[in-house]
Amino acid sequence: MDRLEHFARLSADDREALEAATAGPVLSVRPRRDIVREGERSRVANLILDGWAFRYKTLADGRRQIISFLLPGDICDPYVYILQEMDHSIGALTAVRYVELGRDKIEALTSQHPRLTQALRWDGLVAAAIQREWTLNLGQRDAIERLAHLLCELFFRLRAVRLTDQNRCEMPLTQSDVAEATGMTPVHVNRMIQELRARGLIRWKGREVEVLDMEALCDVAMFNPNYLHLNREGAHLDANG
Amino acid sequence: MDRLEHFARLSADDREALEAATAGPVLSVRPRRDIVREGERSRVANLILDGWAFRYKTLADGRRQIISFLLPGDICDPYVYILQEMDHSIGALTAVRYVELGRDKIEALTSQHPRLTQALRWDGLVAAAIQREWTLNLGQRDAIERLAHLLCELFFRLRAVRLTDQNRCEMPLTQSDVAEATGMTPVHVNRMIQELRARGLIRWKGREVEVLDMEALCDVAMFNPNYLHLNREGAHLDANG
DNA sequence: CGTTTCCTTGACTTAACTCAAGAGGAGTGG
DNA sequence: CCACTCCTCTTGAGTTAAGTCAAGGAAACG
């Protein structure tokens, strides 16, 4: 849960409450299994401890779109219990370990800990901002820009939770996964990866990516990290929220 | 503010508090002017009273994507004040009348009125769901499906706030606006509209649209309104939230 | 060590874009 | 009231980015 510290410095008390709330049983899913399915009723938020998950939606004829990626430290939907049923599914990309936070635990946290309340709100705002950026990505960027942008986003998010090592990071996505996230065909994703390789911007071998020229990659993507709001933004808020 | 009633039946007390909070000065913007700009600090939520607004983002080279539409009754970002700066802009499509809700007002509402708190959360969840649906739309649907889907969504949302008349509704969007929302060129939007006309699904003349065959239009769009969560979903929640 | 999944490449097709020009309306000023 | 302008819509002809189909190769997996 270091992730929330990106928003504000939490007190020892805050951290303790957080530890307590997330101390429930740890659940595990195998890779490529669903965690929640569209149409089901979901009553709990999920906090990802490790592994990658993703939200997705499917059309009647089988076309599938990955809507967003959930990385360690991400909290999905603290308030889903309000809705009658899920309008999308969440699947595990890798093996995922997570804890469920019921309504009671969320409320225990938020009623006693204003900074945690704000931190949760921050998390929700960032998730919304990411979704907006994906809308821009799919609507306006061309294939190579979309691919570069996805890589930039994932790298920045992973770095924020200390899951990068220099310029390298784990990359469990297959090219088909990238295709489903960027609205391209797998064949075209492959060609675009070749292109980024040819330009000397990345290495991508097995399940690992190395960014060889971050600046150039960001340029290609027209990547502006402002939407990730990673700069300890809550610093200006006092302890009352 | 009938919109929140789509979530739960509010008490007389709730309604009164809502009236009070939204009783501040009414602001107006002319069509095609910005309400909030990317990069600025925004400290207030906006409640749209009438008119249409839209969120948008621009790329360095001028490409622009409309991210979502804001219709009467929509509340944008109750908690933006948490963020250092806006990562996108909000513009008025038509003349827009709106009221600003500062942090104090939002907190006054939520601290005393659990159902309003839940209703605001519901509103946020629906906004997120719409953004996810747009991601699916841009990523997987082809041009005619995207257009049909946008029309279905707008029609359903307008109907929910009683801004439709039978099968007709106001449609202040130009074809260029539709192009920016659906990631197509204006020329192609025009051709797709012709196609929907030719199939006898819509009439679109001036600033008004009539849906001639709703079922067929939904079919083309593969439109499933579940993501709008319009079925008085809060009915199952007790007065404590 | 065989089998399945994932990646790669080539040849061809197509949905959507570009450029360009004209038509229809709505508003403005003479 | 008409002429003019600006904006939006419409249509045609040619181009291009991305998709499709297909097959071979590499890597991971049990």
Side-chain angles (χ1 to χ4, degrees):
Chain A
M1 287 299 296
D2 292 336
R3 177 171 156 67
L4 292 183
E5 296 266 359
H6 271 277
F7 169 69
R9 199 168 281 292
L10 303 174
S11 71
D13 192 37
D14 291 337
R15 307 198 120 257
E16 209 172 289
L18 200 51
E19 299 285 326
T22 58
V26 173
L27 303 173
S28 295
V29 236
R30 320 183 137 268
R32 308 287 164 177
R33 293 261 189 272
D34 283 335
I35 297 175
V36 193
R37 278 218 189 78
E38 177 167 356
E40 289 177 359
R41 180 84 195 272
S42 175
R43 294 165 182 287
V44 291
N46 296 309
L47 166 66
I48 311 284
L49 299 177
D50 14 69
W52 292 32
F54 61 104
R55 295 181 198 269
Y56 67 94
K57 297 196 76 154
T58 358
L59 293 176
D61 61 5
R63 279 175 280 175
R64 189 164 92 142
Q65 175 70 31
I66 293 179
I67 300 294
S68 62
F69 290 107
L70 301 167
L71 306 181
D74 284 341
I75 301 153
C76 354
D77 314 311
Y79 302 112
V80 248
Y81 67 84
I82 287 176
L83 300 178
Q84 300 272 2
E85 58 172 63
M86 292 288 288
D87 52 56
H88 66 283
S89 304
I90 301 179
L93 193 71
T94 64
V96 170
R97 293 193 326 121
Y98 65 102
V99 292
E100 293 184 344
L101 299 174
R103 188 177 162 185
D104 50 335
K105 290 192 176 170
I106 296 281
E107 277 174 7
L109 282 183
T110 53
S111 64
Q112 304 298 322
H113 301 272
R115 295 185 93 114
L116 283 177
T117 309
Q118 297 295 58
L120 278 179
R121 286 176 183 163
W122 167 81
D123 191 65
L125 289 170
V126 171
I130 290 174
Q131 208 62 54
R132 285 192 293 265
E133 187 69 31
W134 279 47
T135 306
L136 172 62
N137 211 24
L138 290 165
Q140 297 300 326
R141 281 188 258 250
D142 69 17
I144 197 153
E145 293 164 350
R146 285 212 291 281
L147 172 61
H149 193 279
L150 177 63
L151 292 175
C152 288
E153 177 179 303
L154 290 172
F155 192 87
F156 271 68
R157 290 176 60 192
L158 288 169
R159 191 168 56 188
V161 289
R162 301 203 171 76
L163 289 172
T164 55
D165 171 14
Q166 308 273 14
N167 299 317
R168 281 175 290 116
C169 65
E170 200 193 346
M171 183 52 61
L173 304 179
T174 65
Q175 295 184 1
S176 287
D177 295 328
V178 175
E180 291 188 344
T182 54
M184 314 185 213
T185 57
V187 172
H188 203 55
V189 167
N190 182 271
R191 293 192 231 268
M192 294 301 102
I193 291 175
Q194 307 290 354
E195 175 68 24
L196 291 181
R197 282 184 184 134
R199 294 197 202 169
L201 304 189
I202 61 166
R203 277 186 45 223
W204 185 332
K205 191 88 176 62
R207 294 292 169 246
E208 187 179 278
V209 161
E210 180 178 3
V211 179
L212 300 174
D213 186 341
M214 196 51 162
E215 205 183 320
L217 189 66
C218 288
D219 278 358
V220 169
M222 286 176 286
F223 182 76
N224 177 348
N226 68 346
Y227 73 99
L228 296 174
H229 299 282
L230 288 173
N231 317 313
R232 183 67 51 86
E233 305 219 341
H236 64 286
L237 296 167
D238 59 36
N240 297 317
Chain B
M1 288 300 298
D2 292 338
R3 177 171 157 66
L4 293 182
E5 294 268 355
H6 270 277
F7 169 70
R9 200 169 279 293
L10 303 174
S11 71
D13 192 37
D14 291 336
R15 305 197 122 258
E16 210 172 290
L18 200 48
E19 299 285 327
T22 58
V26 174
L27 303 174
S28 295
V29 235
R30 317 179 140 273
R32 309 285 165 181
R33 293 260 190 270
D34 283 335
I35 297 175
V36 194
R37 278 217 189 79
E38 176 166 357
E40 289 176 359
R41 180 83 195 273
S42 175
R43 293 164 183 286
V44 291
N46 296 309
L47 166 66
I48 311 284
L49 299 177
D50 15 69
W52 292 32
F54 61 105
R55 294 181 201 268
Y56 68 93
K57 297 195 76 154
T58 3
L59 293 176
D61 61 4
R63 279 176 280 173
R64 190 164 92 143
Q65 175 70 31
I66 292 179
I67 300 295
S68 63
F69 290 106
L70 301 167
L71 306 181
D74 283 342
I75 301 153
C76 352
D77 314 310
Y79 302 113
V80 246
Y81 66 83
I82 288 176
L83 300 179
Q84 300 272 3
E85 59 171 62
M86 292 287 289
D87 52 57
H88 65 287
S89 304
I90 302 180
L93 194 68
T94 64
V96 170
R97 292 193 328 119
Y98 66 102
V99 292
E100 292 185 345
L101 299 174
R103 188 178 163 184
D104 51 335
K105 290 192 174 169
I106 295 282
E107 275 174 9
L109 282 182
T110 54
S111 64
Q112 304 297 323
H113 302 272
R115 293 185 96 116
L116 284 177
T117 308
Q118 297 295 57
L120 277 179
R121 285 176 183 164
W122 166 81
D123 190 66
L125 290 170
V126 171
I130 290 175
Q131 209 62 52
R132 285 191 292 265
E133 188 68 30
W134 279 47
T135 306
L136 171 62
N137 211 23
L138 290 165
Q140 297 299 325
R141 283 188 256 251
D142 68 18
I144 196 151
E145 293 164 350
R146 284 212 291 281
L147 172 62
H149 192 278
L150 177 63
L151 292 175
C152 288
E153 177 181 302
L154 290 173
F155 192 85
F156 272 68
R157 289 176 60 192
L158 288 169
R159 191 167 58 189
V161 290
R162 299 202 172 76
L163 290 173
T164 55
D165 171 15
Q166 308 274 12
N167 299 317
R168 281 176 290 115
C169 65
E170 198 194 349
M171 183 52 63
L173 303 179
T174 65
Q175 294 183 3
S176 286
D177 295 329
V178 175
E180 291 188 342
T182 55
M184 312 185 214
T185 57
V187 172
H188 203 55
V189 167
N190 182 270
R191 291 191 232 268
M192 295 301 103
I193 291 175
Q194 307 288 358
E195 175 69 23
L196 290 181
R197 282 183 183 134
R199 294 195 203 172
L201 304 190
I202 61 167
R203 276 189 43 226
W204 185 333
K205 192 90 175 62
R207 294 293 168 244
E208 189 179 276
V209 162
E210 181 176 4
V211 179
L212 300 173
D213 187 341
M214 194 54 162
E215 204 182 322
L217 188 65
C218 288
D219 278 359
V220 169
M222 287 177 286
F223 182 76
N224 177 348
N226 68 347
Y227 73 99
L228 295 174
H229 300 280
L230 288 172
N231 316 312
R232 181 70 45 88
E233 305 218 338
H236 64 285
L237 297 167
D238 59 37
N240 298 318

